[in-house]
Amino acid sequence: MWYNKLMENKKEIYYKYFQEKILPQILPLERYRRKVILNVILFSLLFFALGLGFVYLFVVVMFNNILVPILFPIILFLTYVFFIKSIIIPIVFGKEFQEKLKTRILPLFLEPVANFTEWPENKNLETIIDSLLFYNFDTQKENFTYFGLYNNTNIIISDTKLMMPPKGAVRPTLFKGIIIQLEFDKSIDNHVILMSKNEKKANPYKQYNPHIQELNRYLYTFAKNPKNIKFITKDFWSVIKRLGEVYIAKGFDFSYRNNTVVIALRHKRPLRFGFLFRSLLKAKNYDDLIDRFIVIYDLIDILNNQN
């Protein structure tokens, strides 16, 4: 498919950059990963052995008719604790390692193609409001924001939380996820909104059904006027679908207002990449991170070609 070919071409740029620039910088982190794996194996085996020890103790108590009422629940509880610990340790260490990758590895992948740099917080607040994707929020908090430039298009990627006004002592969260803003040279002179059918429908526009059956199955389409929605093609839908997949989105909102696109990808947990038991020295092992950049570039290419 044309999309796979485009993605492979862009991915080669990342692979080459990884070999030349990133690989020499992450050798110490790879040594650290191996030490963590060794610790995980040792601690997991230790707790598993302790669990087996309490199983043996339980059997001894049972067959020797040692009647101590409080002894049985204590043995069973400790058996449960140590077996669960042996399972949980790889998960806990894995999540901690993925957080370290986010702070140490992610910045190294910002330069290829779009030359992303850190961006001041809440600079896209007005654009988010104008998108009409969200109502009734009064606070924006960002974990990170990056600005890049690709194909004459400004890109802002932010890990964002939008908070609603307080209800008593609680401040509800309206949205938590990734917000992508694209600013093009040309305008479509319209405002088009697409949102997944598990999102709330709240906007002033009329609903339309583009002639793409699969898209209509998953998304609602709204527009200020029906004239300038020709950018919604099968190629556009294939990239939008891929966007939701690589960002593991639980909800999807898309606004195209004049020359600005705002995409909100809701997630229930922080986005992570990499894996504790996967080598850091192979470029292909970063595909889940690289694809999150590439799918944005492919969307820009499609929308620029149609404008």
Side-chain angles (χ1 to χ4, degrees):
M1 289 178 62
W2 64 270
Y3 176 74
N4 291 332
K5 188 174 181 179
L6 281 174
M7 190 167 69
E8 289 172 4
N9 291 339
K10 295 186 179 79
K11 193 168 287 186
E12 285 302 318
I13 297 174
Y14 279 95
Y15 284 176
K16 183 178 179 181
Y17 184 87
F18 176 84
Q19 294 296 332
E20 295 177 355
K21 302 289 185 179
I22 297 178
L23 187 58
Q25 301 183 58
I26 61 174
L27 291 174
L29 191 58
E30 172 65 11
R31 290 193 289 268
Y32 169 80
R33 183 188 72 86
R34 293 174 182 176
K35 290 180 181 177
V36 172
I37 290 176
L38 181 61
N39 289 333
V40 166
I41 293 173
L42 290 176
F43 280 113
S44 291
L45 289 176
L46 174 62
F47 284 117
F48 187 76
L50 289 171
L52 288 177
F54 279 101
V55 169
Y56 175 76
L57 182 60
F58 179 79
V59 172
V60 170
V61 169
M62 287 288 292
F63 278 93
N64 288 277
N65 295 319
I66 301 174
L67 300 176
V68 182
I70 197 172
L71 192 59
F72 287 103
I74 290 176
I75 293 175
L76 289 174
F77 174 74
L78 291 176
T79 302
Y80 172 80
V81 166
F82 287 124
F83 277 138
I84 293 298
K85 274 277 190 181
S86 68
I87 297 171
I88 289 178
I89 280 177
I91 299 173
V92 172
F93 275 79
K95 288 182 177 179
E96 290 178 354
F97 184 74
Q98 285 181 316
E99 288 299 318
K100 186 177 288 290
L101 291 182
K102 189 182 292 184
T103 58
R104 297 276 298 276
I105 300 291
L106 175 58
L108 301 178
F109 281 87
L110 296 176
E111 185 174 335
V113 184
N115 194 26
F116 283 98
T117 58
E118 291 188 4
W119 198 245
E121 293 183 0
N122 301 340
K123 281 289 186 180
N124 59 349
L125 179 58
E126 185 176 343
T127 304
I128 293 173
I129 295 172
D130 291 340
S131 72
L132 303 183
L133 296 179
F134 303 104
Y135 291 89
N136 197 33
F137 73 92
D138 65 352
T139 304
Q140 180 186 16
K141 296 181 180 180
E142 294 181 334
N143 293 324
F144 62 77
T145 304
Y146 298 115
F147 173 86
L149 180 65
Y150 170 78
N151 196 3
N152 298 319
T153 304
N154 296 329
I155 309 169
I156 296 177
I157 304 175
S158 59
D159 188 347
T160 298
K161 181 186 289 187
L162 303 178
M163 312 295 291
M164 299 171 67
K167 292 183 179 179
V170 179
R171 181 183 288 273
T173 299
L174 177 63
F175 171 84
K176 182 170 65 174
I178 300 295
I179 292 183
I180 302 167
Q181 176 184 326
L182 310 175
E183 186 177 344
F184 298 91
D185 286 338
K186 298 178 182 179
S187 172
I188 62 168
D189 192 26
N190 197 0
H191 190 181
V192 182
I193 293 175
L194 291 86
M195 57 179 58
S196 55
K197 292 189 174 181
N198 62 336
E199 298 286 287
K200 293 182 179 179
K201 297 188 295 181
N203 66 79
Y205 303 133
K206 182 179 178 181
Q207 182 178 340
Y208 296 92
N209 288 318
H211 299 295
I212 304 172
Q213 186 175 359
E214 189 179 23
L215 182 149
N216 294 329
R217 188 184 310 150
Y218 295 104
L219 301 178
Y220 293 114
T221 302
F222 305 92
K224 188 175 182 180
N225 68 71
K227 295 181 179 179
N228 297 332
I229 61 172
K230 292 185 293 184
F231 68 89
I232 303 178
T233 63
K234 289 184 179 180
D235 290 345
F236 168 82
W237 164 238
S238 67
V239 176
I240 288 295
K241 183 168 61 173
R242 178 66 177 159
L243 188 70
E245 292 171 353
V246 300
Y247 280 92
I248 320 172
K250 302 296 182 181
F252 174 87
D253 296 298
F254 175 98
S255 165
Y256 197 169
R257 180 177 181 269
N258 296 329
N259 71 325
T260 303
V261 167
V262 175
I263 304 168
L265 300 155
R266 187 188 305 273
H267 59 64
K268 292 184 178 179
R269 59 183 180 178
L271 283 173
R272 296 186 174 97
F273 63 91
F275 182 54
L276 178 60
F277 295 94
R278 186 186 297 168
S279 172
L280 299 179
L281 306 183
K282 296 180 180 179
K284 191 170 181 59
N285 288 344
Y286 298 92
D287 279 356
D288 48 352
L289 172 62
I290 294 171
D291 288 348
R292 290 171 189 164
F293 290 112
I294 290 177
V295 72
I296 296 174
Y297 307 146
D298 290 341
L299 178 60
I300 290 171
D301 288 338
I302 286 175
L303 293 179
N304 269 326
N305 290 337
Q306 293 177 356
N307 284 343

